Amino acid sequence: MQLLKEKILNEGVALSDTVLKVDHFLNHQIDPELMAEIGQAFKERFEGKNITRILTLESSGIAPSVMAGLSLGVPVVFARKRKSLTLDENLLTAEVYSYTKQETNTIAVADKFINESDVVLIIDDFLANGEAANALADIVHLAGAEVAGIGIVIEKSFQSGPQKLKDRGYHVESLARIASLSNGEINFLSEVNA
Ligand code: 5GP
């Protein structure tokens, strides 16, 4: 997606060889026009898959997911990272290991928001080692629903996540694919490989 790549090049900062900061348009301040294009791009990539619901993770997955939900005409559910749900809810939960924070967290979704007739599109802002996307897929399976695919805004193709998700048989679509972040330089996969 050309506009997304331009935004990443112009406003993204490679904090290290593995971490990209994009708080000008995705992780802190949000660019609504870019989010609308992202929503449309996800619609084009997953159209025809009979998606009934989108599942994402708070907080940075919410903006692109809402725009994709608007384009596809389906509701958006976000998994919570903190136990702020009332105790009488029946929860679907999964564990997410964060390599950056070196800790495991439990994410949760109230079971009334995903059921076995659902065909779920999972969306997240970044794909690194695949932990978050895998945990979201676990929640979909716990609900007895189907994973239609996984939509990622920014994939770091040099980390283990893309291969892990493909090995589990998921259809992954990433709108920008980064080949490396070495020496403060952001390099995309060439279109031939992308
Ligand atoms: P994974 O679970 O695939 O290892 O990592 C994906 C999650 O970690 C995303 O939900 C995202 O919030 C965060 N993340 C991973 N890498 C980056 C990065 O380079 N930049 C930012 N801003 N977030 C990242």
Side-chain angles (χ1 to χ4, degrees), residues 18-20 27 57 99 124-133 156:
T18 54
V19 179
L20 177 65
N27 289 144
L57 189 55
Y99 288 93
D124 203 9
D125 60 338
F126 272 90
L127 175 58
N129 293 302
E131 294 285 326
K156 290 181 292 176

Side-chain angles (χ1 to χ4, degrees), residues 19-171:
V19 179
L20 177 65
K21 189 172 180 182
V22 288
D23 62 352
H24 282 72
F25 57 89
L26 181 59
N27 289 144
H28 196 355
Q29 174 169 259
I30 294 172
D31 180 331
E33 279 178 21
L34 176 67
M35 291 305 130
E37 277 208 25
I38 285 173
Q40 193 56 32
F42 281 134
K43 177 190 170 170
E44 283 161 17
R45 291 179 187 225
F46 290 101
E47 217 164 20
K49 290 211 145 202
N50 301 318
I51 289 156
T52 61
R53 223 175 273 262
I54 291 172
L55 177 63
T56 189
L57 189 55
E58 67 175 357
S59 54
S60 295
I62 295 176
S65 296
V66 167
M67 298 316 289
L70 189 63
S71 294
L72 285 161
V74 299
V76 177
V77 180
F78 62 92
R80 292 183 179 262
K81 289 180 179 163
R82 276 157 244 96
K83 288 227 165 104
S84 54
L85 294 174
T86 51
L87 284 176
D88 59 350
E89 301 267 19
N90 289 320
L91 300 179
L92 303 165
T93 63
E95 304 285 297
V96 184
Y97 179 72
S98 164
Y99 288 93
T100 39
K101 293 183 193 150
Q102 303 260 314
E103 62 184 27
T104 300
N105 290 303
T106 303
I107 61 168
V109 173
D111 70 354
K112 65 185 172 197
F113 291 127
I114 306 182
N115 57 62
E116 49 196 39
S117 62
D118 275 318
V119 180
V120 180
L121 172 60
I122 291 168
I123 288 181
D124 203 9
D125 60 338
F126 272 90
L127 175 58
N129 293 302
E131 294 285 326
N134 249 330
L136 291 169
D138 287 345
I139 284 181
V140 174
H141 296 307
L142 277 177
E146 186 189 323
V147 176
I150 299 174
I152 298 292
V153 180
I154 303 173
E155 170 187 303
K156 290 181 292 176
S157 308
F158 56 91
Q159 294 187 279
S160 64
Q163 195 55 48
K164 263 193 226 164
L165 297 181
K166 275 169 207 151
D167 289 346
R168 281 188 74 180
Y170 297 123
H171 170 191

